[in-house]
Structures are given as structure tokens and as C-alpha cells.
């Protein structure tokens, strides 16, 4: 157990941050999964801005790496363009 008040607080903050990050990362993964499962182009195009917004927010807050965010958005755009 930590001996300093500041390290006890830091542990508390890290736990809360980790739980928050896990929640948002899971939400993003579910949104990406839902978009990839979509077979209608119109529905996928309407979902794309929402998913992009989530991915960009997580990249901005360093929950995911900015290159991962770019790769995800690129692959999703390719998926949408491949739909007929």
C-alpha cells in the first residue's frame, strides 16, 4: 500500500480513468463492429460521422493512438465505398 497521500490519490485517479477509458473504448469497438456489420450503403453512410466522431475523440484523449484512429476511419470508409 502507498505511504503518501499524493500516491493514494494518484491510484484513485488512475483507477477511475482506467474504467472510463475502458468504457469509451468498448463503446467505440461496438460502434465500429455495428458499422462493419451493416450491409446497406445508406445506413452505413449515416452511421459513419457518428463513429468517426467517437474515434477522433478517443484519439484526442490518448485512449487510442492517432494512427489507429486514422487506420480505423480509412478501413471503414473503404468498407462503405465497397457496399452497393
Amino acid at each position: 500500500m502507498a505511504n503518501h497521500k499524493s500516491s493514494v490519490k494518484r491510484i484513485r485517479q488512475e483507477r477511475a480513468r482506467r474504467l472510463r477509458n475502458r468504457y469509451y473504448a468498448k463503446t467505440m469497438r461496438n460502434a465500429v463492429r455495428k458499422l462493419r456489420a451493416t450491409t446497406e450503403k445508406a445506413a452505413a453512410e449515416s452511421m459513419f460521422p457518428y463513429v468517426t466522431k467517437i474515434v477522433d475523440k478517443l484519439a484526442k484523449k490518448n485512449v487510442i493512438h492517432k494512427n489507429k484512429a486514422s487506420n480505423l476511419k480509412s478501413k471503414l470508409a473503404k468498407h462503405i465505398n465497397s457496399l452497393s
Side-chain angles (χ1 to χ4, degrees):
M1 184 62 194
N3 292 324
H4 298 283
K5 283 177 85 172
S6 61
S7 57
V8 171
K9 180 179 178 182
R10 180 68 56 200
I11 290 167
R12 259 196 338 262
Q13 288 175 328
E14 287 169 356
R15 184 182 307 131
R17 219 174 276 127
R18 183 174 61 247
L19 289 173
R20 195 176 317 120
N21 288 345
R22 282 177 58 193
Y23 170 76
Y24 287 122
K26 185 68 173 178
T27 304
M28 182 222 29
R29 283 196 304 272
N30 287 336
V32 168
R33 196 174 295 131
K34 188 175 178 183
L35 179 59
R36 282 200 181 121
T38 304
T39 56
E40 291 182 32
K41 188 166 186 158
E45 283 177 339
S46 66
M47 289 170 60
F48 186 65
Y50 169 73
V51 175
T52 303
K53 182 179 174 183
I54 293 173
V55 169
D56 284 337
K57 272 188 182 178
L58 292 183
K60 184 179 178 183
K61 294 182 179 183
N62 290 323
V63 176
I64 60 172
H65 197 271
K66 64 178 185 172
N67 291 352
K68 180 182 175 76
S70 295
N71 286 335
L72 274 173
K73 291 190 298 185
S74 172
K75 287 175 183 175
L76 290 173
K78 283 176 81 172
H79 170 71
I80 291 170
N81 290 331
S82 71
L83 296 174
S84 56

